[in-house]
Amino acid sequence: GVLRVATFDAKTAGGAAAAVREMAAEGAEAWVVDLRGNGGGLVRAAQQIAGLFLPEGTPLVEVTSARQPSPALIPTLAPPCAAPSPATCASCPAGDVSSVPGGAASSDFDQEGADASGMIAGRGKVAVVLDGGSASASEFLATALRDYRGGAIVGQPSRGKALIQGLFPLEGSPRGGLVVTTARVASAKTHQGWQGQGLRPDFPVQWLPPAG
């Protein structure tokens, strides 16, 4: 089964869960997660998509910051319910749009509202496709799948954004804001970061078709 993830927003994980459930029901035995051109978004969405392939609680990545100098783990979350609306599934909370606050302790990355169904694509080989437009939460997901599922990274080096940033409004400027780096990210298994370097593919491909 091929799962194309173009961004990580409030609806991404639910859509991915529905697509993976459908492909699993149709007999998919291996998985390709296509993250080409995905520059990131809500970390929680990446946590939940990781939960399609990894047991809940498996580390996604580790973060360090001035507030949290000792590495804290961002865990994989159980995938959300694929019901069409929260009203049809008691496990799906409305407005699940929280992102990860930079520098928070691991206990702050709570699993409130996570569905108890667990991973859907727990069997079969996994490959992740990256290119130079894959960054941030895409790299977090790719790292976890390589570290804890043996997923091969195929394609081109990613952009190399191993940071968590926060947007802080400026007083007196309703449209202005200050983007501040609040935490650095690394593999929870190897403790290696990739800021400015990108994730190197296990199987490099010089040319990739445009992401669709």
Side-chain angles (χ1 to χ4, degrees), residues 41-44 47 60-65 72-74 99-104 109 136-137 140 161-168 179-186 194-195:
L42 294 178
V43 176
R44 186 180 180 88
Q47 292 174 269
L60 186 75
V61 289
E62 67 178 24
V63 298
T64 56
S65 69
L73 299 178
I74 299 179
S99 60
V100 174
F109 301 110
S136 191
F140 303 174
K161 185 181 178 184
L163 304 171
I164 291 178
Q165 296 176 313
L167 177 62
F168 298 88
V179 177
V180 177
T181 297
T182 55
R184 290 189 173 272
V185 180
W194 58 88
Q195 174 62 24

Side-chain angles (χ1 to χ4, degrees), residues 32-192:
V32 175
V33 183
D34 185 355
L35 300 173
R36 288 174 297 158
N38 185 332
L42 294 178
V43 176
R44 186 180 180 88
Q47 292 174 269
Q48 292 178 313
I49 291 176
L52 297 168
F53 302 93
L54 298 168
E56 182 179 3
T58 302
L60 186 75
V61 289
E62 67 178 24
V63 298
T64 56
S65 69
R67 288 178 52 194
Q68 185 73 33
S70 299
L73 299 178
I74 299 179
T76 295
L77 300 181
C81 176
S85 71
T88 60
C89 178
S91 299
C92 291
D96 181 16
V97 298
S98 57
S99 60
V100 174
S106 57
S107 60
D108 291 332
F109 301 110
D110 63 76
Q111 300 176 28
E112 181 181 357
D115 182 45
S117 61
M119 55 183 177
I120 302 167
R123 298 181 180 179
K125 293 183 178 180
V126 175
V128 184
V129 185
L130 301 179
D131 65 9
S134 308
S136 191
S138 288
E139 295 168 309
F140 303 174
L141 177 57
T143 295
L145 292 178
R146 178 156 68 177
D147 284 350
Y148 296 105
R149 183 65 187 269
I153 295 180
V154 179
Q156 300 165 352
S158 60
R159 189 185 307 170
K161 185 181 178 184
L163 304 171
I164 291 178
Q165 296 176 313
L167 177 62
F168 298 88
L170 296 177
E171 186 175 354
S173 179
R175 295 186 179 181
L178 182 65
V179 177
V180 177
T181 297
T182 55
R184 290 189 173 272
V185 180
S187 161
K189 184 174 183 179
T190 68
H191 313 295
Q192 297 295 313

